[in-house]
Amino acid sequence: MKDMTTGGPAPSAEDMKLIKKFLEDTTLFLGPDPEIMQNHDLMQRSADEEHAIANVPDTHTIAKIRDRLQAGCDEGYEMVEQMGAAPGAKWGDVITGIYSASGDLAIASAGGVLLFSSVVHHPIKFIVKNWMNEPTVGVRDGDGFIHNDSRYGNVHNTDQSMILPIFHEGRLVCWVASTVHEGENGAIEPGGMPSMAESPSDEGLKMSPFKVVENYQIKRDLLTFLQNSVREPKLQLEDMKVKLFACLRIKQRIEETLKTDGADALISTLRLTMEDVRAEVKRRVSEWPDMSVRTYIIQDSTLRENCVVKVNCTLTKKGDQLTFDFRGSSPEFTNRATNTILGGLKGMLSQLFLCYIWPDLPRGQAAMAPIEVITDPHSILNCSYDAPNSQSLMSIFTGFTAGQHAVAKFLYSCPEKFTKVHAPAFNMINTFIWGGVSQHGETLGNLCADLNGMGAGATSNRDGEHALAPIFATMADIGEQEVNEEDVPFLQLVSKKMTRDAIAPGKYRGGQGYTMMVATKDSEQWGFMTTAQGAKIPPIQGLFGGYACGTYPLSKVQGVDVYDVMLNEPEKFRHSIEEIMNEQPFEGARYTTHHMGMGFDISKRGELYMISQGAGAGYGDLLERDPVGVVKDIEEGLMSAEVAARLYKVVFDPATLAIDFDATEQARADERKARIARSVPYAEFVKGWNQPKPPAHLPYFGCWGDDIETLYMGSPDKTRRGDEPKPNYMVHPKDVRIAELEARLAAAGVPGDEKQ
Amino acid sequence: MTMKVPMTEYLRIDLETEKWECRVCDHVIAPAAGNYKEGLLVHNRDPREIHPPVIDPAKYRYTFCPDPDWVRILEFCCPKCGTQIETEYATPGHPPLWDMQVDVPALKAQWASRGPAMLPDAGPAVVPGRGHAH
Ligand SMILES: [Zn+2]
């Protein structure tokens, strides 16, 4: 066959080998490898694995060994959780796991952030491919590798992994790894997840996988370099040690297995566990109806400015194949941090299946392996090497919700279910990230565990639970705020009090979120940031006629010292955002509201920052909600009586809350009639509603309607093709504000006689 | 015997007639191979009515209410019984989604091999005694 590009004959196999060697020898930089980074399926069975499976095929032996290894992983997880210095470690923002010799995650700890489990195989595969045979590096018994750069496989750079190869009689048999959300990493803002990052160079430590441990000892020179690059040198040391020791404990458990059952039994267990899970996922998917489900979720900000950023999802199931098609989602932002690498999105979808759909499956990489994910190149869900991604959570969480919303519509009719059908959980990390110099003189940068208090979605048979768990770690904890306050110079003056009327109504309502009010007390060098979307547009959808949550802003009170107020006029203090903002009890103070993308803000003693966790989505028609449940919500302070009566059409005595059931039935029957009267037939409705392009008043990013090939970039006239990347720069919000003010000056007749 | 597969809390597909039907009032909504929303009524709901302001909209830019210029709630109801079958939080002017595009022949084949005993029995449940009659 002729080579079409040169017209000459194609190079021989010999030539190709030479060309490959030449290219390898002259590679100047081993960047992230697309071959590794775009693939989430299992590696081919190796010769070692074939041999091991032939020798040890017995399922009982394999089940026994798997349980032992699982217990070893859980033990490692416990160690990190108990000993880790990072706040993240303390409430379970951790995972440990055992990976096959080729790098696939076979068994992960039951608790923790499963999402990590689907991204750490990338750096291991990088090590296998590049360092194993590299004479200046090599992989030997006693080595340990560290990694955090998300572009080589990670959710975001605040997570650090320790990776150890396990040898048996001179042969590499598997890997173990431990990953923790460390927080601080030397980025442009404290805490490791800067929303101000405008390029990857603003994101702090950029550790491609490298060797930091030899002979089981952390190398002091490299450690010092890492400590010198972050705000919390002590944390860097402590947690590297903790992760190393957790890996060594898992190694010990593996060695016990090797001793009793041999290497083939271990290798066969790891491989067959993954293959069995993969096959079982195919079988379960085949039970779903053949269908395409469409949904979209809107991110309402880049964390720097409000805009309408679409996450577009079509989930198609045919036979035993399941495909997420995210084409049509927003283009990547060239200078905003909310982009994600593709692996992060896939990891979060894996989390959806392992925690919310098939929680009985062994934890590992295999559950997601047969599921296909399609995106546009340089999309906000599959960003390029040059785009910052320190706030990738915004995109992976909204991508997760699109998946969760779509999957529910497949599961309803499916006879075989492993969980109840449920509405989307709340998906934003509404919490305070903090940093500065503490009352003990220490430099700190981290966050409140309240991000773990996301409200749960309602299910087909009950209300969502309040402040249940983060979508990325269903078994995580909210932690002890009081313990935290011993180390940090601020107090949560109101904590874990449900935010009234911030609701997600339905036949079963979503679980609600709680209010957090913080104020700095004992430091003049302390500040906060918040990094969440959803102050203008809810970040989730409701299910089967249920409603999503509302929106959640940041409120500030400045020009007051509430500690003085509490000392001198304690009767003035209020315990809800509603009362403080509406009653404005502190004279002379300034009361303002903001979106939830507050960049790092230096605080003053006693000034209030107030936010709320969000609600999970509601399920079903709210007129079917049990009136008793409605009144209970009033009694529990979740909803005001006025809102309850107006929305749910429950008739009750305002003084006693005694329900009039007959009047309620009548009111609900009337409301159904009123609905029919105020609604219009679909065909007529779309004539007035549908527009050919996004509205001019919205900075809209992503496809519009069915045309997924055209991506809008902030205005109806600015587009790119989905498959043709283009830069997508945002103007600095302060420049936007200056331009607005200059225009007002010009309009007011102020002469523009400045020298240019 | 005709088999009706419950597809959502309020919708089912009659495999014989190949129609979407309301599970509350048996109303025949639309062809099963098409978009069920085409057989429903729609209301463009101001999101502030569902998600009330927690703080005073006269004083503040952000109030816990979604911004009605940025998002609307499309409420889809059954034209016969008024049950709210679906909601869609939509960007103003964005065409409503064909959210469930079913491969009807495949659905029929799948259920032919399963039989009616496998039909899920969940929903639409009513509050015992005091809910509205289906
Ligand atoms: Zn009906």
Side-chain angles (χ1 to χ4, degrees):
Chain A
M1 197 185 85
K2 278 201 139 191
D3 183 328
M4 302 303 285
T5 52
T6 62
S12 67
E14 186 88 347
D15 290 345
M16 283 303 291
K17 235 171 109 183
L18 270 172
I19 293 170
K20 194 165 174 274
K21 182 167 184 338
F22 172 78
L23 288 174
E24 278 170 7
D25 289 349
T26 52
T27 300
L28 296 178
F29 169 53
L30 289 169
D33 187 334
E35 194 180 285
I36 294 171
M37 293 310 301
Q38 295 285 322
N39 186 19
H40 66 283
D41 206 344
L42 306 178
M43 302 294 275
Q44 293 286 318
R45 259 194 204 184
S46 67
D48 267 6
E49 286 170 336
E50 290 283 4
H51 175 81
I53 291 165
N55 273 352
V56 186
D58 174 50
T59 47
H60 293 289
T61 307
I62 285 168
K64 180 193 75 183
I65 296 174
R66 182 169 56 228
D67 286 351
R68 272 178 89 170
L69 297 175
Q70 177 72 57
C73 288
D74 292 343
E75 196 180 342
Y77 170 86
E78 283 289 327
M79 284 175 69
V80 180
E81 201 182 29
Q82 297 298 326
M83 306 191 317
K90 292 193 177 76
W91 22 265
D93 212 339
V94 167
I95 202 148
T96 54
I98 303 174
Y99 299 72
S100 72
S102 327
D104 290 326
L105 175 61
I107 297 169
S109 55
V113 182
L114 279 168
L115 162 56
F116 293 162
S117 68
S118 351
V119 284
V120 179
H121 66 103
H122 298 303
I124 298 180
K125 287 168 186 170
F126 180 92
I127 295 167
V128 169
K129 187 169 175 176
N130 295 299
W131 298 157
M132 199 98 98
N133 298 314
E134 167 59 47
T136 62
V137 188
V139 174
R140 285 176 280 275
D141 206 2
D143 285 351
F145 293 81
I146 195 170
H147 160 257
N148 84 320
D149 187 340
S150 53
R151 297 170 301 176
Y152 289 82
N154 207 342
V155 182
H156 45 200
N157 291 0
T158 182
D159 303 333
Q160 297 188 21
S161 297
M162 180 65 78
I163 300 166
L164 263 62
I166 307 295
F167 287 86
H168 181 64
E169 294 170 355
R171 172 169 65 135
L172 176 71
V173 289
C174 64
W175 299 80
V176 296
S178 159
T179 306
V180 176
H181 179 113
E182 293 294 354
E184 183 39 41
N185 68 355
I188 187 172
E189 293 171 293
M193 304 195 295
S195 50
M196 300 299 276
E198 296 204 354
S199 91
S201 303
D202 295 333
E203 294 176 330
L205 277 178
K206 284 267 178 279
M207 297 190 278
S208 54
F210 67 89
K211 195 187 294 183
V212 71
V213 172
E214 275 176 352
N215 299 318
Y216 307 111
Q217 300 289 317
I218 295 171
K219 287 161 67 88
R220 198 70 197 252
D221 54 345
L222 292 175
L223 169 67
T224 305
F225 160 68
L226 295 174
Q227 291 177 296
N228 191 43
S229 306
V230 299
R231 292 178 182 82
E232 293 201 43
K234 257 172 55 186
L235 170 75
Q236 186 64 35
L237 166 64
E238 285 168 13
D239 277 4
M240 278 172 70
K241 280 164 77 175
V242 168
K243 280 177 288 197
L244 175 61
F245 290 132
C247 286
L248 290 175
R249 179 62 63 85
I250 301 171
K251 175 173 182 280
Q252 186 186 335
R253 298 300 175 225
I254 292 171
E255 280 165 350
E256 287 161 10
T257 297
L258 287 168
K259 213 165 164 187
T260 52
D261 296 80
D264 282 350
L266 173 77
I267 293 169
S268 178
T269 299
L270 296 180
R271 182 69 202 184
L272 288 180
T273 295
M274 293 190 289
E275 289 186 6
D276 290 351
V277 169
R278 194 181 188 287
E280 173 64 4
V281 164
K282 286 280 217 191
R283 188 194 69 74
R284 290 183 182 189
V285 165
S286 69
E287 294 294 317
W288 296 10
D290 280 14
M291 175 163 71
S292 286
V293 169
R294 295 183 184 84
T295 183
Y296 66 98
I297 303 295
I298 297 292
Q299 303 177 21
D300 71 356
S301 90
T302 63
L303 300 179
R304 301 287 300 284
E305 57 270 288
N306 280 121
C307 49
V308 182
V309 181
K310 189 187 209 181
V311 169
N312 194 50
C313 178
T314 300
L315 180 57
T316 299
K317 179 268 172 184
K318 196 168 174 58
D320 65 0
Q321 184 57 45
L322 189 62
T323 305
F324 285 92
D325 186 347
F326 284 104
R327 286 176 300 172
S329 297
S330 168
E332 79 178 20
F333 289 97
T334 312
N335 60 344
R336 292 292 181 264
T338 48
N339 310 293
T340 183
I341 64 148
L342 181 58
L345 172 70
K346 288 174 175 173
M348 202 59 214
L349 293 171
S350 163
Q351 179 95 23
L352 168 66
F353 290 107
L354 284 173
C355 293
Y356 291 86
I357 313 296
W358 304 313
D360 59 316
L361 289 181
R363 269 88 168 99
Q365 188 188 329
M368 189 65 196
I371 298 171
E372 202 184 344
V373 179
I374 308 172
T375 62
D376 291 316
H378 294 209
S379 151
I380 194 165
L381 299 178
N382 181 11
C383 71
S384 64
Y385 180 76
D386 299 311
N389 64 31
S390 42
Q391 278 294 342
S392 60
L393 298 185
M394 300 302 116
S395 287
I396 66 175
F397 290 171
T398 43
F400 166 94
T401 301
Q404 188 170 39
H405 188 225
V407 165
K409 291 182 178 177
F410 285 94
L411 290 182
Y412 193 90
S413 68
C414 186
E416 187 188 42
K417 295 185 187 68
F418 299 85
T419 52
K420 293 285 181 191
V421 173
H422 53 102
F426 189 68
N427 61 359
M428 283 291 141
I429 46 172
N430 290 7
T431 191
F432 289 104
I433 302 173
W434 40 253
V437 178
S438 77
Q439 66 271 41
H440 310 301
E442 277 189 80
T443 303
L444 302 175
N446 229 297
L447 46 74
C448 294
D450 294 288
L451 80 167
N452 287 356
M454 296 174 186
T459 70
S460 57
N461 65 337
R462 67 169 193 212
D463 291 338
E465 290 184 56
H466 305 306
L468 180 65
I471 52 174
F472 53 85
T474 41
M475 288 160 76
D477 192 3
I478 290 177
E480 295 296 334
Q481 180 58 32
E482 291 77 6
V483 173
N484 193 26
E485 283 169 0
E486 291 177 11
D487 298 325
V488 293
F490 69 91
L491 298 179
Q492 274 207 18
L493 297 171
V494 173
S495 180
K496 321 292 183 289
K497 175 186 160 92
M498 291 296 156
T499 310
R500 196 173 75 146
D501 287 338
I503 49 173
K507 170 180 179 173
Y508 298 107
R509 54 131 182 82
Q512 267 167 248
Y514 52 75
T515 293
M516 294 157 257
M517 285 186 205
V518 296
T520 298
K521 190 164 163 284
D522 302 315
S523 171
E524 289 180 4
Q525 251 181 293
W526 194 258
F528 300 99
M529 57 188 274
T530 56
T531 60
Q533 299 164 333
K536 275 174 99 72
I537 301 176
I540 58 176
Q541 294 272 0
L543 189 64
F544 301 154
Y547 292 99
C549 60
T551 50
Y552 300 87
L554 162 73
S555 303
K556 285 192 209 176
V557 186
Q558 290 163 299
V560 64
D561 183 339
V562 294
Y563 295 110
D564 284 351
V565 171
M566 285 191 283
L567 191 64
N568 303 318
E569 310 165 282
E571 69 284 357
K572 281 196 176 166
F573 193 75
R574 301 285 184 275
H575 293 84
S576 69
I577 300 173
E578 183 179 346
E579 291 162 294
I580 289 179
M581 295 302 279
N582 290 343
E583 297 174 22
Q584 301 193 342
F586 318 124
E587 294 100 33
R590 204 160 79 83
Y591 300 79
T592 55
T593 61
H594 310 264
H595 65 69
M596 286 286 288
M598 172 175 68
F600 186 68
D601 197 32
I602 293 287
S603 60
K604 289 211 178 78
R605 180 186 147 99
E607 292 189 337
L608 283 173
Y609 294 78
M610 305 182 288
I611 60 175
S612 172
Q613 257 294 354
Y619 179 106
D621 183 349
L622 80 174
L623 294 185
E624 292 191 358
R625 180 161 181 70
D626 184 348
V628 175
V630 174
V631 166
K632 188 158 173 272
D633 287 351
I634 301 171
E635 288 170 337
E636 292 181 351
L638 301 172
M639 199 168 32
S640 57
E642 179 274 319
V643 170
R646 181 169 60 77
L647 290 182
Y648 284 99
K649 307 298 174 199
V650 175
V651 182
F652 51 82
D653 182 306
T656 64
L657 297 183
I659 300 164
D660 182 337
F661 287 97
D662 292 326
T664 297
E665 265 182 44
Q666 188 56 50
R668 289 180 162 188
D670 291 347
E671 175 61 11
R672 287 189 179 87
K673 286 196 192 105
R675 271 182 187 162
I676 294 171
R678 69 176 171 250
S679 305
V680 293
Y682 183 86
E684 194 183 316
F685 176 79
V686 293
K687 268 187 224 154
W689 164 270
N690 284 11
Q691 298 299 322
K693 284 183 177 188
H697 74 275
L698 291 182
Y700 183 92
F701 296 85
C703 75
W704 186 256
D706 291 334
D707 175 13
I708 61 163
E709 287 180 4
T710 306
L711 303 184
Y712 290 88
M713 297 169 69
S715 86
D717 313 315
K718 200 176 162 201
T719 63
R720 73 164 238 210
R721 279 181 52 90
D723 54 4
E724 282 175 11
K726 256 193 197 177
N728 181 24
Y729 281 97
M730 301 297 281
V731 180
H732 196 295
K734 280 193 173 146
D735 289 338
V736 172
R737 184 68 182 145
I738 290 168
E740 278 169 10
L741 295 173
E742 282 181 344
R744 281 174 63 183
L745 286 176
V750 176
D753 52 1
E754 263 181 295
K755 281 187 188 166
Q756 296 295 321
Chain B
M1 194 195 93
T2 177
M3 217 195 306
K4 298 182 183 214
V5 181
M7 298 295 287
T8 81
E9 186 76 6
Y10 302 115
L11 292 168
R12 65 178 177 234
I13 288 177
D14 183 322
L15 294 179
E16 195 182 3
T17 62
E18 300 190 7
K19 299 277 202 245
W20 287 104
E21 294 178 354
C22 174
R23 294 177 67 197
V24 178
C25 72
D26 302 334
H27 177 69
V28 176
I29 292 170
N35 182 355
Y36 68 82
K37 288 178 183 169
E38 292 177 9
L40 302 179
L41 306 181
V42 196
H43 175 59
N44 172 6
R45 174 78 89 157
D46 184 331
R48 292 173 296 186
E49 293 169 10
I50 302 299
H51 306 288
V54 172
I55 56 179
D56 187 354
K59 290 195 184 93
Y60 300 112
R61 284 173 65 196
Y62 298 89
T63 62
F64 291 78
C65 286
D67 185 331
D69 294 330
W70 284 50
V71 61
R72 308 296 296 186
I73 306 172
L74 304 184
E75 297 176 344
F76 298 90
C77 76
C78 172
K80 188 173 162 205
C81 68
T83 296
Q84 185 158 295
I85 285 173
E86 180 71 358
T87 58
E88 185 174 333
Y89 285 66
T91 304
H94 191 287
L97 296 180
W98 181 3
D99 65 323
M100 295 173 79
Q101 182 177 352
V102 180
D103 181 337
V104 180
L107 190 72
K108 289 171 87 162
Q110 192 176 42
W111 281 97
S113 66
R114 279 176 183 160
M118 300 281 281
L119 285 171
D121 56 4
V126 292
V127 179
R130 304 304 316 194
H132 75 280
H134 282 178

